[in-house]
């Protein structure tokens, strides 16, 4: 039986980011106190139901202090696009380790991990995947999210810390191009998915694709059916606007690969 009574204290990392700013408001019903963290500047607390705690995810001791006293973690912080490996390493790879290790030491039992479609970005757009499809990361960024999912599995198997890894497609106010007609996740659907991820019992390590009820999709969420996620929005309402854009060339990765342009980023530092 699920409940939506608020957690005492939730931690949101990445609170200064695009999604973080949206979730700061939307997560309020789920926590008596929302602890907001980022390396970048954040707006000050609006009331005593918010705590603003700056933290660099690559700093193990700082993350340990950040996690003290929280009941669950929504881990959205980190580098969110393709960058040189060295930048991804501290924020995403060390960062996710620091989050799980702090969760273990402080007895936190649930993490929601903002994974990404870029863990499977090298599949073509005519392929349909589920959570058991072998990963095909399209970037150092995608590799870091793939590592984060493995970290989640390990901390569940070894320590019983449960995680819902959300392979977010494209969560923006509107789909910005043809590819996002398939990958788009509305903010309302994202919020519903986070509610399900926080409150569904016995999730173990569940991988779910974060997409709205789009018409043409590449992902099958049957292995996450226990979450009861039922998206209400669809990219269809934006089709005319999106299709007014020029069609990408036939050999454009945006038209071929699920990960779009990420498959062609880099190399760096030559
Ligand atoms: P964003 O780039 O706007 O936000 C990420 C935040 O993480 C930023 O505010 C940044 O300052 C912070 N950050 C970076 N390095 C840090 C560090 N070392 N220590 C502490 N904080 C650090 O990205 P967005 O779009 O808000 O995405 C949020 C999360 O969701 C990211 O983890 C991203 O990978 C994931 N995601 C987002 C998607 C989307 O469509 N918006 C799609 C797939 C995944
Ligand atoms: C992501 O993982 C990124 O964080 C976001 O900025 C978008 O690029 C999104 O994927 C996407 O694939 O559209």
């Amino acid at each position: 039986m699920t409940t939506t009574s608020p957690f005492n204290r939730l931690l949101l990392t990445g609170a200064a980011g695009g999604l973080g700013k949206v979730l700061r408001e939307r997560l309020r019903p789920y926590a008596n106190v929302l602890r907001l963290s980022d390396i970048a500047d954040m707006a000050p607390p609006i009331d005593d139901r918010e705590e603003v705690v700056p933290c660099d995810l690559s700093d193990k001791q700082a993350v340990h202090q950040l996690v003290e006293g929280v009941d669950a973690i929504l881990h959205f912080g980190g580098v969110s696009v393709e960058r040189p490996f060295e930048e991804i390493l501290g924020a995403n790879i060390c960062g996710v380790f620091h989050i799980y290790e702090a969760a273990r030491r402080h007895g936190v039992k649930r993490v929601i991990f903002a994974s990404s479609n870029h863990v499977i970005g090298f599949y073509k757009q005519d392929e349909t995947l589920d959570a058991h499809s072998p990963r095909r990361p399209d970037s150092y960024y995608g590799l870091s999210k793939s590592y984060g999912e493995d970290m989640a599995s390990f901390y569940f198997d070894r320590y019983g810390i449960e995680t819902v890894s959300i392979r977010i497609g494209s969560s923006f106010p509107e789909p910005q191009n043809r590819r996002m007609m398939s990958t788009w996740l509305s903010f309302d659907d994202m919020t519903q998915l986070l509610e399900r991820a926080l409150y569904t019992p016995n999730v173990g390590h569940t991988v779910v694709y974060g997409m709205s009820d789009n018409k043409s999709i590449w992902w099958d969420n049957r292995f996450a059916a226990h979450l009861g996620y039922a998206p209400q929005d669809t990219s269809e309402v934006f089709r005319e606007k999106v299709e007014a854009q020029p069609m990408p060339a036939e050999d454009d990765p945006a038209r071929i690969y699920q990960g779009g342009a990420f498959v062609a980023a880099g190399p760096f530092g030559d």
Side-chain angles (χ1 to χ4, degrees), residues 108-124:
V108 179
K109 300 309 285 179
R110 180 135 335 171
V111 177
I112 316 301
F113 174 52
S115 184
S116 170
N117 72 88
H118 295 287
V119 303
I120 45 79
F122 255 117
Y123 283 96
K124 302 256 176 76

Side-chain angles (χ1 to χ4, degrees), residues 86-102:
E86 292 77 6
E87 286 181 39
I88 303 271
L89 178 63
N92 292 19
I93 294 181
C94 297
V96 78
F97 165 62
H98 296 158
I99 285 286
Y100 277 96
E101 195 49 11

Side-chain angles (χ1 to χ4, degrees), residues 194-239:
L194 292 178
E195 182 187 301
R196 300 313 309 142
L198 283 168
Y199 289 101
T200 303
N202 305 319
V203 293
H205 178 215
T206 295
V207 172
V208 60
Y209 289 92
M211 60 183 163
S212 283
D213 186 19
N214 304 327
K215 188 169 169 194
S216 118
I217 52 169
W218 310 324
W219 308 320
D220 178 338
N221 265 335
R222 68 191 146 141
F223 294 114
H226 52 283
L227 294 179
Y229 169 58
Q232 302 297 304
D233 293 322
T234 174
S235 59
E236 270 316 288
V237 297
F238 300 104
R239 184 169 290 282

Side-chain angles (χ1 to χ4, degrees), residues 17-37:
L19 283 177
K21 285 187 187 130
V22 172
L23 296 178
R24 179 172 182 163
E25 199 178 312
R26 286 167 176 257
L27 288 171
R28 279 176 74 86
Y30 307 118
N32 296 329
V33 177
L34 190 55
R35 183 173 293 169
L36 301 151
S37 185

Side-chain angles (χ1 to χ4, degrees), residues 80-81 116-118 141 168-172 179-180 183 259 262:
S80 65
V81 292
S116 170
N117 72 88
H118 295 287
Y141 166 69
I168 304 169
S170 307
S171 195
F172 299 103
R179 172 180 163 273
M180 289 191 195
T183 59
F262 280 58

